[in-house]
Amino acid sequence: MLGYIKPDKPDLKIKEFEIYGGYYCGICKSIAKRYGQFPRLVLNYDSVFLALLLAGISPAPEHIEIQRCFVHPSKKRTILYDSPEIDYAADILLLLAYYKLKDDYQDDRSLKAAVGAALMHGTFKKLTVAVPEKCAYVKDRLDELSELERSNCASIDRAAEPFAKLMEEVFDCPLLKKEKNGEELSGLFRRIGYHLGKWIYLIDAYDDIEDNLKKKSFNPLISQFGFDPQGETADEFKQRIRDRVETNLILYLAEIAKSCSHLEFKKNHGLIENILYFGLMRKTEEIFKKGTENHAESI
Amino acid sequence: MQNPYEVLGIKEGASEAEIKAAYREQVKKYHPDRHQDNPLQDLAEEKLQEINEAYEYLMKNSGNGGSQSSGPEFAEIRRMIDRGDLGGAEAALGKIKTRNPEWFFLNGMLALRKGWYDEAIGSIQTAVSMDPSNMEYRNAMNSIMATGGGYRTQAFGRGYTSNDDLCRMLQCYCCADALCDCI
């Protein structure tokens, strides 16, 4: 996950903003407590959404504290403690981050990634105990993904499938099974994960077009729609496929929103709605504005 | 699209009478009159829409696998897709050599159930252009497009704005916030 899933900050209530930060810090603290200081560096916002959803349907009260943290010494922060949902989201974040570093090393031989992956190896060992089935599943899907990339897959649906399946599986948290309607919840979370995976994969592919054209590396959109280096510029290519990409992205969001509407939230409802209808929609629109003339860098 | 049988809460392959009875019961449960000025109003409306879609779908495709099927193998594939046997439907479609409009349509419906929307749109679009007079293909296409439109409407209904100037202002705001945490 790459930092695409965020709330639309101006539309958040101050209270919601504090809670959102509390989950973020809660994930960071959960990592520090169980895995030590180093893995905290891979923290990102995407994992917060999973924690918000999982905790949102749980009736257990939140344990909130306002305290200082040495990462941000200047100001006291809201932090959520003792939440199994946050622990799970943290595990998934680390698992995906570990594979991301390994992948970066394999692709670019980046030294930074190599050191990162080596330093996280101990954490990964612990994860294979904490969430064993998820580890095995994620690895298999990522292998499939690199296989598809090597064969220059010319279908965005086919290319996105391994990552979507991966997200489907990690959203199906074992904690859900403990609820009395566990089966139904697990089904809904799987649908959310699957479509969120497709959304992330496709938005990332569109975002990477210029870069991939320059480096001549794999991009499912370039493979499917065929970039013509003589006849068009990268911008014209993006313009040509824009509507089709947008239609797909919005359909994924529609499916995510629909599945979420079947969940009964006991908390975090406003925050989740903000992410679903404002944050994800904003990101989708931003991706198409980027690079076009009327969206020249304003600051 | 969700499994229409699940939406109505009945078993796969239920009879027409059972489908009708389940439909009537569900409509009563989610009728807007029962949820007026009640926090569940939106949810009930959405649920009702789903129920209507599921009912319409099952009614159109009930009996011997739908009146539109141009051959027994297509009728069987329709039943597989309805049942949720997506693997079976995919294998059966792969075996058929003649790619007529119905083949593209069913291939698209299968893709839709899998969540492969790009393939679904492409395939159903092919079916529509090969047989422009077929209303079933057109309706399927319109219903996919309406799903995306529905999400946008909901976002705008909740107060989403895509004003450019506002965006720029907010970028400044976020930057200022990130720099000094002053806001």
Side-chain angles (χ1 to χ4, degrees):
Chain A
M1 298 194 268
L2 311 132
Y4 289 114
I5 312 167
K6 279 188 194 168
D8 191 35
K9 207 166 151 190
D11 260 307
L12 281 179
K13 287 182 184 156
I14 304 272
K15 175 178 80 179
E16 292 168 345
F17 179 67
E18 282 293 320
I19 292 288
Y20 185 78
Y23 272 86
Y24 185 69
C25 290
I27 290 174
C28 190
K29 287 276 185 186
S30 159
I31 294 174
K33 190 174 152 203
R34 296 176 305 140
Y35 302 105
Q37 299 302 328
F38 174 73
R40 296 174 88 173
L41 290 174
V42 303
L43 193 63
N44 74 27
Y45 283 104
D46 287 336
S47 52
V48 180
F49 184 58
L50 177 57
L52 282 171
L53 283 178
L54 287 169
I57 57 163
S58 150
E62 289 155 323
H63 173 189
I64 300 175
E65 288 192 20
I66 297 172
Q67 45 180 228
R68 258 175 237 287
C69 164
F70 81 87
V71 182
H72 308 282
S74 61
K75 209 178 160 191
K76 283 192 177 176
R77 300 261 162 172
T78 307
I79 304 170
L80 270 98
Y81 281 105
D82 303 330
S83 148
E85 293 87 9
I86 287 185
D87 288 346
Y88 178 75
D91 286 349
I92 294 304
L93 162 76
L94 292 173
L95 179 60
L96 297 183
Y98 172 72
Y99 279 115
K100 174 92 175 53
L101 286 168
K102 282 193 79 163
D103 185 54
D104 284 353
Y105 173 63
Q106 245 147 36
D107 286 357
D108 313 328
R109 298 276 137 195
S110 137
L111 187 64
K112 212 171 105 193
V115 173
L119 283 171
M120 271 188 78
H121 194 69
T123 305
F124 176 69
K125 275 276 152 63
K126 286 186 198 162
L127 287 170
T128 52
V129 179
V131 281
E133 326 80 46
K134 308 290 172 195
C135 288
Y137 193 87
V138 165
K139 181 174 185 310
D140 289 348
R141 296 293 84 71
L142 290 174
D143 287 347
E144 271 174 32
L145 185 60
S146 33
E147 187 51 47
L148 284 168
E149 285 178 2
R150 264 197 298 279
S151 65
N152 206 13
C153 174
S155 148
I156 49 176
D157 280 324
R158 195 170 295 281
E161 191 69 2
F163 188 68
K165 284 277 175 200
L166 179 164
M167 290 286 285
E168 176 181 79
E169 183 65 29
V170 299
F171 264 63
D172 188 5
C173 170
L175 292 165
L176 296 171
K177 299 275 188 303
K178 291 186 187 145
E179 303 289 325
K180 63 177 186 301
N181 55 343
E183 280 293 304
E184 187 196 347
L185 287 175
S186 146
L188 288 168
F189 270 78
R190 290 187 81 88
R191 284 187 80 78
I192 297 169
Y194 179 87
H195 289 93
L196 203 55
K198 292 203 86 161
W199 182 81
I200 293 175
Y201 187 82
L202 186 56
I203 213 164
D204 192 44
Y206 191 82
D207 210 15
D208 281 348
I209 287 177
E210 279 109 346
D211 197 39
N212 293 139
L213 279 175
K214 241 180 260 158
K215 290 187 188 153
K216 296 204 180 349
S217 48
F218 173 75
N219 183 310
L221 288 167
I222 300 173
S223 303
Q224 175 167 335
F225 295 104
F227 176 69
D228 169 16
Q230 268 83 46
E232 62 189 347
T233 63
D235 258 358
E236 282 162 357
F237 174 69
K238 287 178 87 170
Q239 212 53 44
R240 168 156 73 87
I241 64 171
R242 186 203 142 121
D243 283 352
R244 181 115 170 226
V245 173
E246 191 176 12
T247 305
N248 276 289
L249 288 172
I250 296 288
L251 281 172
Y252 304 148
L253 295 185
E255 209 51 57
I256 297 166
K258 194 162 129 196
S259 300
C260 283
S261 74
H262 294 303
L263 292 171
E264 218 176 284
F265 291 111
K266 280 135 193 139
K267 41 188 189 284
N268 303 338
H269 195 203
L271 255 172
I272 290 166
E273 291 244 311
N274 176 295
I275 296 176
L276 286 179
Y277 291 102
F278 295 173
L280 296 178
M281 179 83 164
R282 177 85 61 217
K283 197 80 214 172
T284 308
E285 287 196 338
E286 266 173 23
I287 229 80
F288 294 114
K289 277 189 197 134
K290 226 162 109 184
T292 57
E293 46 196 315
N294 56 7
H295 192 68
E297 281 297 310
S298 56
I299 25 179
Chain B
M1 186 182 155
Q2 279 175 300
N3 184 335
Y5 291 104
E6 267 172 38
V7 173
L8 293 176
I10 44 179
K11 281 203 205 91
E12 309 268 348
S15 71
E16 204 173 311
E18 282 169 321
I19 297 173
K20 278 187 179 152
Y23 172 70
R24 267 197 297 274
E25 197 182 312
Q26 296 275 22
V27 167
K28 249 188 249 160
K29 196 163 143 198
Y30 293 101
H31 199 274
D33 289 351
R34 286 188 57 176
H35 297 279
Q36 237 166 17
D37 303 322
N38 149 335
L40 295 174
Q41 192 176 1
D42 284 348
L43 204 63
E45 264 171 37
E46 202 183 313
K47 187 82 189 159
L48 195 62
Q49 199 192 334
E50 266 173 32
I51 292 163
N52 280 326
E53 278 170 20
Y55 177 70
E56 232 171 80
Y57 181 86
L58 290 180
M59 280 297 116
K60 244 192 288 175
N61 298 289
S62 65
N64 289 328
S67 49
Q68 290 92 345
S69 270
S70 53
E73 68 274 28
F74 285 120
E76 181 54 31
I77 293 169
R78 277 174 194 265
R79 274 195 293 272
M80 285 185 206
I81 296 177
D82 285 351
R83 272 205 307 271
D85 176 13
L86 304 185
E90 194 160 1
L93 276 170
K95 277 190 210 127
I96 297 177
K97 293 281 172 290
T98 40
R99 304 272 155 107
N100 64 5
E102 190 171 12
W103 187 93
F104 283 100
F105 170 69
L106 290 178
N107 187 50
M109 294 311 276
L110 170 67
L112 188 64
R113 281 291 289 273
K114 285 203 301 193
W116 288 33
Y117 303 122
D118 194 63
E119 182 165 327
I121 292 170
S123 199
I124 296 173
Q125 190 68 60
T126 308
V128 171
S129 51
M130 286 166 85
D131 184 1
S133 64
N134 188 308
M135 285 318 284
E136 187 187 18
Y137 306 165
R138 273 176 194 277
N139 287 339
M141 194 68 195
N142 292 342
S143 134
I144 298 174
M145 292 305 170
T147 309
Y151 169 78
R152 272 180 206 277
T153 313
Q154 286 196 337
F156 285 109
R158 284 170 162 81
Y160 181 84
T161 47
S162 51
N163 186 310
D164 268 352
D165 293 333
L166 188 67
C167 270
R168 287 211 185 104
M169 186 191 91
L170 295 175
Q171 276 178 357
C172 292
Y173 168 95
C174 289
C175 262
D177 193 19
L179 283 173
C180 59
D181 211 3
C182 57
I183 308 171

